[in-house]
Amino acid sequence: MPSKSRAKRRKLPWYLRPFKWLLWFAVLSVVWVLVYAVVPPPVTFTMLADRNGITKDWTGLANIDRNMVRAVIAAEDGKFCTHNGFDREAIEQAIERNAQGRRMRGGSTISQQTAKNVFLWQGSGWTRYVRKVPEVWFTFLIETIWGKRRIMEVYLNVAETGIGTYGVEAGAQRYFKHGANKLTPAEAARIAAILPLPKKREAVSPSGFTRRYGNMITARIGQVRRDGLDGCVFR
C-alpha cells in the first residue's frame, strides 16, 4: 500500500484546486447541456422556488404557432437570428441607461434568458451580478450545441407566462382556452407583452402600457415575417 507521504505528495496544491473545480464544472455543464439538447428540461430552479405551484405542458416547436415565435422575437430580441447569443449594442445601451440612474433595464437576448431560466436562478441585487458569469458560459454552450431552433423551443416552454404558469402552451390554455398551435397574432403578442412581468401584467383584457405594448408587438409580427427575422427558426 502507498505510504501516507506518497499519497500526500499526489494531492494538488491548494492554489490549483480551484482549477480542478472549474474543470469539473465545465465538464458537468457540457453534459447537462447535451442532455437537454434532446430531453425536455423537467423542472427549473425558478419553478422549484415558485410558491404558486407549477403548471406546464411541454410542446414541441412544430405545435406552437409561428405567430408566437415571431411575437417573442419582435418583443424580446429582434437580432435573435444574427447574434451569437449576445447583443453587444443592447448591452451597451443598457449599461449607459443604468449608469444614468434611469430605470434598470437589461440587454439580455433570448439565448441569455434561456440559459438563465433553464440552468440558473433569477436572483436580485448582488446575486443577479454573480449569476452573469455562469450565464455567459451557458449561453455560449447552448448557442454552440443546441442552435437557434432548439433555444427557441426551450425558451417557449420554460418562460414564465403567469402566476405558477410556465410555457406558452400552459399560457395559451390559461388565457385563451386553446392550445399554442392556434394563437392569433394578437393573442401571441399579449403573451409576449407580459413575459417581463408575468405576475403583474394581464394577457386577457389588458389595459394601459400592456395593451399598448401588445398592440405594438402585433404590428411588429408582420415585420418579423416580411424581413425573415425568424429564418433561423423556420428553415
Side-chain angles (χ1 to χ4, degrees), residues 1 20 50 57 64 67-68 77-78 88 97 114 120 227:
M1 294 181 66
K20 179 182 178 181
D50 196 332
D57 187 1
I64 296 175
N67 286 317
M68 190 68 247
D77 189 358
R88 180 174 297 180
R97 181 186 179 92
T114 304
L120 302 169
D227 295 347

Side-chain angles (χ1 to χ4, degrees), residues 33-60:
V33 171
L34 283 169
V35 171
Y36 282 179
V38 293
V39 176
V43 71
T44 66
F45 293 117
T46 302
M47 295 176 188
L48 292 174
D50 196 332
R51 297 179 180 178
N52 299 293
I54 306 170
T55 300
K56 63 185 182 72
D57 187 1
W58 178 274
T59 304

Side-chain angles (χ1 to χ4, degrees), residues 108-175:
S108 296
T109 62
I110 286 175
S111 301
Q112 288 175 270
Q113 292 179 51
T114 304
K116 175 189 69 177
N117 289 339
V118 175
F119 302 103
L120 302 169
W121 64 93
Q122 297 299 317
S124 60
W126 65 270
T127 62
R128 180 181 179 182
Y129 298 100
V130 171
R131 187 198 67 221
K132 286 296 180 181
V133 176
E135 181 181 302
V136 170
W137 170 243
F138 278 109
T139 300
F140 166 76
L141 288 182
I142 63 175
E143 280 279 342
T144 303
I145 297 174
W146 290 3
K148 298 292 188 178
R149 183 176 173 84
R150 179 61 173 177
I151 290 172
M152 179 61 72
E153 182 174 56
V154 174
Y155 175 72
L156 293 177
N157 276 281
V158 301
E160 188 177 7
T161 51
I163 298 176
T165 306
Y166 294 86
V168 297
E169 175 65 27
Q173 293 288 353
R174 172 176 180 157
Y175 300 122

Side-chain angles (χ1 to χ4, degrees), residues 20-36:
K20 179 182 178 181
W21 300 332
L22 285 173
L23 179 61
W24 272 109
F25 170 75
V27 171
L28 292 175
S29 59
V30 169
V31 172
W32 198 1
V33 171
L34 283 169
V35 171
Y36 282 179

